Amino acid sequence: MERKVEVNAARLTEQLDALARFSDAPAPAVTRVVYTGTDLKARAYLKTLVAEVGLSAREDALGNLFARWEGTEPALPAVATGSHIDAIPFAGRFDGTVGVLGGLEVLRALKASGFAPKRSLELIVFTAEEPTRFGVGCFGSRAMAGVLLPRALAELRGDDGLSVLEAAARAGFTGNPSDVRLGSGCYHAFVELHIEQGPRLEAAGVPIGVVSAVAAPATLHVTLTGAGGHAGAVLMPQRRDALLAGAEVARAVEAAALETGTPDSVATVGVFDVHPGAVNSIPSRVFMTVDVRDTDLRRRDGMVTRIRRDTEELARKRHVTADVKLLNADPPATCAADIMEAAHAAAEAEGLASRTLVSRAYHDTLFMARVCPVGMIFIPSKDGVSHCPDEYSSPDEIAQGVRVLARTLAALAG
Ligand code: GLV
Ligand code: MN
Ligand code: MN
């Protein structure tokens, strides 16, 4: 692409700030959970921006948003970019939003430059990359890829008892769930711009990361049930304390990751709910989430097997019952070599160093990889921090990522 593309970093910063104000947590934290009033207000704001850029928008039955700029050969499979705007409790303002607003800035800037793409260009705003409400990450792109079918969406429920489809309908998304799945061949390529969420680019002083693969995530839900009782009256030998069993399970989860012998194995207990949660009452039940990841599928599966086995053993030892549910166990995704090459070449054309790296976090790209060839462009995260309010990437770093995305998409769209 010879033409100069003007990326407006100040406008992008303003839009990121404006989006961050749609939050259920006090600033600088951002909480934006799928289908809440706050999420819907943020989507409405986004749709005004999409309309300003002159894109035609459609939403599917889950609220996945597709904003399209028709190419000169609209019958060809489109080139897509995008990410998510939902945010976990007490998150930062850049996870997902950089790929959404950055992707929109790319389309705006390419249009303004007079570029006329052969293939249509699309911005996709995926519903719920985060697992907060329904336990499973990426249910929007999972459904688009046919990994979650309408029947499963009708059964997957959050804490309030509503299923995904019921919650989507209440939020105003009333399309046909069977139409969410994308036909094969509808996209030529998908490229997601995202913050790294780790320290590697910053440590190396490299502004652009080109992702080669996305690590394989799995999620378990563990419920341990013991016996409650009076904290003064029930003597220690008689207790079946579910919290203490859960604490041992949490320790076993840590050991499963530590003992594979590679730093690529990680496992986390992020939710630990204690019932009944009273000062003077023995915990009778705990609910825990276990998030297990690795770049290597066999190692990840080995950890899952070990955590299941250890949980059963610890439950027997502590005289509690264990209910373990595997919610998802996804394979890793590999990025397409030609898209990686295009991204490296785009960085070079912008005078920016780039390096290849694996994504340890998951992204909607993990599921788009089942639909079409994929790529990801990372920008540095300050101190490698993410999923907390201190998350930060500078306006310059974001603008650099947007320029590299613009060149990459332009090259792919022809
Ligand atoms: C995505 O937010 C992840 O947990 O990797
Ligand atoms: Mn996230
Ligand atoms: Mn994300």
Side-chain angles (χ1 to χ4, degrees):
M1 189 183 58
E2 299 314 321
R3 222 180 285 267
K4 185 141 179 54
V5 175
E6 297 289 349
V7 167
N8 188 329
R11 177 171 57 205
L12 194 45
T13 302
E14 264 170 41
Q15 292 174 352
L16 284 163
D17 288 349
L19 196 49
R21 286 195 283 275
F22 297 102
S23 169
D24 286 322
V30 179
T31 300
R32 201 162 44 235
V33 177
V34 65
Y35 302 145
T36 57
T38 303
D39 175 42
L40 297 180
K41 284 184 199 139
R43 287 168 185 258
Y45 166 66
L46 199 59
K47 281 188 263 182
T48 62
L49 301 182
V50 163
E52 271 172 31
V53 179
L55 306 173
S56 63
R58 83 170 172 95
E59 280 166 332
D60 68 15
L62 297 180
N64 291 307
L65 174 70
F66 303 80
R68 188 172 173 99
W69 174 18
E70 206 76 357
T72 56
E73 296 187 28
L76 289 176
V79 170
T81 187
S83 196
H84 63 100
I85 64 160
D86 64 320
I88 66 164
F90 295 90
R93 60 173 56 190
F94 300 99
D95 175 1
T97 54
V98 162
V100 169
L101 291 171
L104 188 60
E105 179 65 22
V106 165
L107 299 196
R108 190 196 293 257
L110 284 176
K111 273 188 151 201
S113 76
F115 178 66
K118 203 159 81 177
R119 295 176 184 277
S120 300
L121 281 166
E122 264 191 31
L123 173 73
I124 307 178
V125 186
F126 296 95
T127 286
E129 187 257 11
E130 304 291 6
T132 313
R133 182 161 178 182
F134 295 100
V136 172
C138 301
F139 75 72
S141 52
R142 255 177 220 277
M144 285 161 65
V147 176
L148 260 187
L149 298 173
R151 204 178 47 244
L153 292 165
E155 281 163 11
L156 190 60
R157 288 177 196 280
D159 285 346
D160 60 4
L162 290 181
S163 73
V164 171
L165 292 186
E166 287 162 351
R170 284 195 191 191
F173 303 112
T174 52
N176 184 347
S178 309
D179 295 341
V180 172
R181 187 173 185 170
L182 296 173
S184 66
C186 60
Y187 290 113
H188 174 66
F190 173 76
V191 188
E192 182 170 0
L193 172 67
H194 207 282
I195 57 170
E196 183 199 340
Q197 306 183 282
R200 293 163 293 177
L201 292 176
E202 184 186 58
V206 172
I208 297 294
V210 175
V211 172
S212 55
V214 182
T219 313
L220 298 162
H221 279 184
V222 178
T223 305
L224 302 171
T225 308
H230 194 287
V234 182
L235 299 182
M236 299 311 277
Q238 273 77 53
R239 293 195 182 192
R240 295 167 54 214
D241 185 322
L243 183 150
L244 291 174
E248 292 204 53
V249 169
R251 177 66 190 86
V253 167
E254 182 192 36
L258 286 174
E259 289 168 21
T260 62
T262 155
D264 291 333
S265 307
V266 287
T268 307
V269 174
V271 173
F272 195 121
D273 283 340
V274 182
H275 181 83
V279 174
N280 49 359
S281 176
I282 299 161
S284 60
R285 191 176 69 238
V286 295
F287 168 78
M288 308 159 68
T289 59
V290 185
D291 177 306
V292 187
R293 311 183 190 204
D294 204 302
T295 48
D296 180 89
L297 183 59
R298 284 179 47 160
R299 244 185 350 244
R300 196 282 314 278
D301 284 345
M303 284 193 281
V304 169
T305 303
R306 176 175 163 171
I307 289 166
R308 278 174 172 282
R309 195 194 57 218
D310 289 353
T311 301
E312 298 297 336
E313 268 175 38
L314 289 164
R316 263 195 303 278
K317 189 184 103 187
R318 286 253 169 206
H319 305 292
V320 302
T321 58
D323 176 54
V324 181
K325 284 195 180 68
L326 182 68
L327 265 74
N328 63 289
D330 304 305
T334 306
C335 293
D338 58 335
I339 298 181
M340 291 175 62
E341 265 167 41
H344 280 300
E348 198 181 338
E350 286 293 329
L352 299 168
S354 60
R355 77 158 43 177
T356 302
L357 76 190
V358 162
S359 173
R360 297 183 189 283
Y362 60 70
H363 304 281
D364 294 297
T365 296
L366 189 64
F367 295 97
M368 286 305 285
R370 296 168 182 243
V371 173
C372 64
V374 296
M376 288 195 80
I377 296 165
F378 275 180
I379 57 163
S381 293
K382 185 170 185 307
D383 301 326
V385 164
S386 184
H387 279 187
C388 70
D390 296 337
E391 193 171 85
Y392 184 74
S393 301
S394 71
D396 277 353
E397 289 167 326
I398 296 170
Q400 286 167 347
V402 172
R403 285 203 295 272
V404 172
L405 178 67
R407 281 189 184 274
T408 308
L409 294 182
L412 293 167

